[in-house]
Amino acid sequence: MRTSRSTLQVLSCSLLTALSVGCGDDKAGVDTSEGETETETGTTGDALTTTTPTTGEDSSTGEPFVPFPARGDVKIVRVEANPSVAIPIGLDGAAVGGPGRNAFIPKGRDMLVRAFVDVPDDWIERSLEARLVLSGGGVDKVLTQTITISQDSYDNDLSTTFYWGVKAVDVVPNLKYQIELWEVAPGAEMLPEPADPAIAVLAGPAFVGVESSQAEMRVVLVPIDYKFGTCAAVVDGEAQRKAFEDALYQQNAVETIEFTVRAPYPVTYSMTAFSGLSKLVSEMSQLRTDDGADPNVYYYGLFDNCGGCIGSGGGQSGCTVGLAADITGPDKTDARYRASVGQLNNGGVDTFVHEVGHTQGRRHIECSGAGVDAAGTDPSYPHADGRIGIWGFGIRDFKLRHPTAYSDYMSYCGSTWVSDWQWNATYSRIKTLTGWGKSDAGAPAGSDGALAGDGVLIGAVDPDGQQIWWTGPGDLSSGREPSATHRVIFEFADGEVETTTQVSVRAHYPTRNIVARLPPGFDARELLGVRWVDESGEHPVAPSTIRRLHGPNRLQAAH
Ligand SMILES: [Zn+2]
């Protein structure tokens, strides 16, 4: 349901030599032929005065040309930081404070900075140099760029704006910026000085607005070793690593991603049926517990079903390409639902970002061009028709994304990118999960971050009747109401215990997730049977089919 992404503009690596990633052998070079230079300034005094200016030579006199501030009423009307989504940090010569910001700027992440100029009607086309002075937070640096200015800058064309790649190492809290325009060749001396100097911000260096929080995602990619019918395909996880990590990195407000490729996981049931897709999601949920993954780790099963279509079923139409365990909650105990799966082909990386998005708690975004209606759309989305609404920029592929040509990645529409709104929403979740840290390397496998609670019974009940049950560590989710219609009855040798449940429904395929707290003394009591109850009646579950993963002894338990 997604088409291949169109590229409006691709920056060549040589134009962004200050970006430290993705340029292969070119990464270390400063390509002065493109007019962009970087000058480390001294540690004392005003950075501007210690800059070595670009020099030309006045051919008529032989005297060296001395640059001077830009003449002719050229103005810097906008300055944007773009760590993936465009964020105005300067407007009409003034700084944009926190309340005027549309999105967060994570620390330690490469970003694009663009400066837009307006020129008067009588502007004489010529080259100008812009100096981006970075200071504060231990940074003392000047980035320069010289371009020919012939008209007002406009968004669609990078070459009409000044722009710089600011390296992650320089994107630090308390970073300030100042941009000045300079004449770099003779000819403008007779023009009047502008009413206001061509400087942003006029009042002096302004904060870029870099956040101080740590922001990391931890992901385990699980390559599926698939054999069913005539299809036998093992996903090469290492071969896919870069594309998948880049896609997630570019569209989440993170400093780093801990990206692990796990050993392949065997699947011998049909992955061209919803029942298989649903089963694999449940197995990925179990696997993250079985592996002893920390609560902040996302598991993603990547399968190659030889291009098969997971077609109509469960009220869905078209081919479904992925499925997440839940619209996952924000707590450690919700770790059980930080699991999703997706198809390798048909836009595999976009599916990955979308499904992980669900497990970051994100719902669908409505748009009109999808051909199918996405279930459970989020009504608070601010941009029209699911579009991203702002300029996107890929800090690893150096592509610009148009505000109305791209749709939010949680929609079903066309080419997708992260909107500023989604960026902020996931940043909040990312910071929460990052704050949980990492378990010690020596922690026993299966601790699951030592989740509080005595454990839960987890069921995944599909519309077609397939039901998978297991136990896991932790407790009920804090933010969910008990189900009004679902209960679970445990039949022990010493009596029955009836419990309330929490029920959620997966996006894409209406599997019901049913969670019930394990009764006191569960491990010591003889379990004869389990019945779950919904509006249609009671449904038995044989205890032998319940996989036990809730306790530290589970690795010895029968699987
Ligand atoms: Zn979805």
Side-chain angles (χ1 to χ4, degrees), residues 28-60:
V30 175
D31 188 347
T32 52
S33 68
E34 295 288 346
E36 180 179 3
T37 61
E38 176 179 322
T39 309
E40 294 281 353
T41 61
T43 54
T44 57
D46 182 349
L48 278 177
T49 62
T50 57
T51 302
T52 304
T54 304
T55 56
E57 187 161 302
D58 185 332
S59 57
S60 61

Side-chain angles (χ1 to χ4, degrees), residues 79-81 87-91 94-97 101 105 113 177 201 206-209:
V79 181
E80 274 181 7
I87 302 163
I89 60 173
L91 283 176
V96 178
R101 298 294 181 94
I105 302 174
V113 171
Y177 77 96
V201 171
F207 284 111
V208 173

Side-chain angles (χ1 to χ4, degrees), residues 209-369:
V210 179
E211 299 294 316
S212 59
S213 301
Q214 299 287 335
E216 182 179 59
M217 288 182 75
R218 306 175 70 195
V219 177
V220 173
L221 183 74
V222 184
I224 302 301
D225 178 355
Y226 179 58
K227 287 189 189 68
F228 184 81
T230 57
C231 179
V234 187
V235 170
D236 183 343
E238 286 300 335
Q240 301 299 333
R241 171 195 287 270
K242 181 170 181 0
F244 280 72
E245 183 180 347
D246 281 358
L248 197 67
Y249 184 77
Q250 290 198 124
Q251 295 178 76
N252 279 274
V254 292
E255 185 172 352
T256 52
I257 292 181
E258 179 192 279
F259 195 94
T260 306
V261 176
R262 194 190 179 281
Y265 181 87
V267 167
T268 55
Y269 45 83
S270 173
M271 287 307 297
T272 54
F274 272 106
S275 59
L277 193 65
S278 179
K279 186 175 185 179
L280 184 57
V281 167
S282 295
E283 290 185 1
M284 288 300 104
S285 179
Q286 296 173 18
L287 186 64
R288 68 176 312 298
T289 301
D290 212 6
D291 282 354
D294 284 340
N296 54 12
V297 175
Y298 295 90
Y299 265 51
Y300 189 76
L302 180 61
F303 63 91
D304 179 353
N305 63 1
C306 300
C309 173
I310 304 168
S312 57
Q316 308 290 301
S317 59
C319 297
T320 296
V321 291
L323 183 64
D326 203 0
I327 311 294
T328 307
D331 299 330
K332 285 186 179 179
T333 202
D334 297 309
R336 54 180 167 262
Y337 292 140
R338 289 190 183 97
S340 53
V341 305
Q343 205 168 336
L344 173 63
N345 301 310
N346 304 320
V349 296
D350 293 336
T351 302
F352 172 57
V353 173
H354 178 102
E355 300 305 340
V356 172
H358 281 312
T359 62
Q360 290 173 290
R362 309 316 307 158
R363 295 158 64 188
H364 285 140
I365 303 302
E366 187 172 6
C367 65
S368 61

Side-chain angles (χ1 to χ4, degrees), residues 409-457:
Y409 67 70
M410 291 311 295
S411 77
Y412 278 179
C413 276
S415 301
T416 56
W417 191 249
V418 60
S419 66
D420 51 354
W421 182 87
Q422 201 71 265
W423 175 264
N424 293 340
T426 48
Y427 186 53
S428 173
R429 179 66 61 91
I430 288 164
K431 285 191 294 182
T432 299
L433 268 62
T434 304
W436 299 344
K438 301 176 185 180
S439 62
D440 295 337
S447 63
D448 218 345
L451 293 178
D454 294 330
V456 288
L457 177 68

Side-chain angles (χ1 to χ4, degrees), residues 387-548:
R387 305 308 186 195
I388 57 174
I390 43 81
W391 280 89
F393 177 71
I395 62 171
R396 289 194 172 169
D397 66 17
F398 310 140
K399 294 178 187 174
L400 278 173
R401 273 85 177 176
H402 191 283
T404 59
Y406 280 75
S407 302
D408 187 88
Y409 67 70
M410 291 311 295
S411 77
Y412 278 179
C413 276
S415 301
T416 56
W417 191 249
V418 60
S419 66
D420 51 354
W421 182 87
Q422 201 71 265
W423 175 264
N424 293 340
T426 48
Y427 186 53
S428 173
R429 179 66 61 91
I430 288 164
K431 285 191 294 182
T432 299
L433 268 62
T434 304
W436 299 344
K438 301 176 185 180
S439 62
D440 295 337
S447 63
D448 218 345
L451 293 178
D454 294 330
V456 288
L457 177 68
I458 305 162
V461 178
D462 288 348
D464 68 3
Q466 174 175 270
Q467 50 177 308
I468 299 171
W469 292 86
W470 69 100
T471 66
D475 204 342
L476 297 176
S477 302
S478 66
R480 284 200 168 133
E481 297 297 318
S483 169
T485 54
H486 291 69
R487 289 168 290 132
V488 168
I489 300 163
F490 293 86
E491 305 162 20
F492 294 109
D494 60 353
E496 291 191 350
V497 178
E498 183 173 313
T499 63
T500 58
T501 66
Q502 289 176 332
V503 175
S504 60
V505 178
R506 293 178 184 169
H508 302 191
Y509 184 59
T511 297
R512 275 176 289 176
N513 293 315
I514 302 172
V515 182
R517 206 174 261 157
L518 294 177
F522 178 83
D523 290 318
R525 301 167 78 173
E526 184 186 355
L527 186 66
L528 303 177
V530 170
R531 308 190 307 276
W532 62 278
V533 183
D534 67 1
E535 48 281 83
S536 72
E538 295 195 351
H539 313 276
V541 180
S544 61
T545 64
I546 300 171
R547 193 173 171 207
R548 296 192 175 215

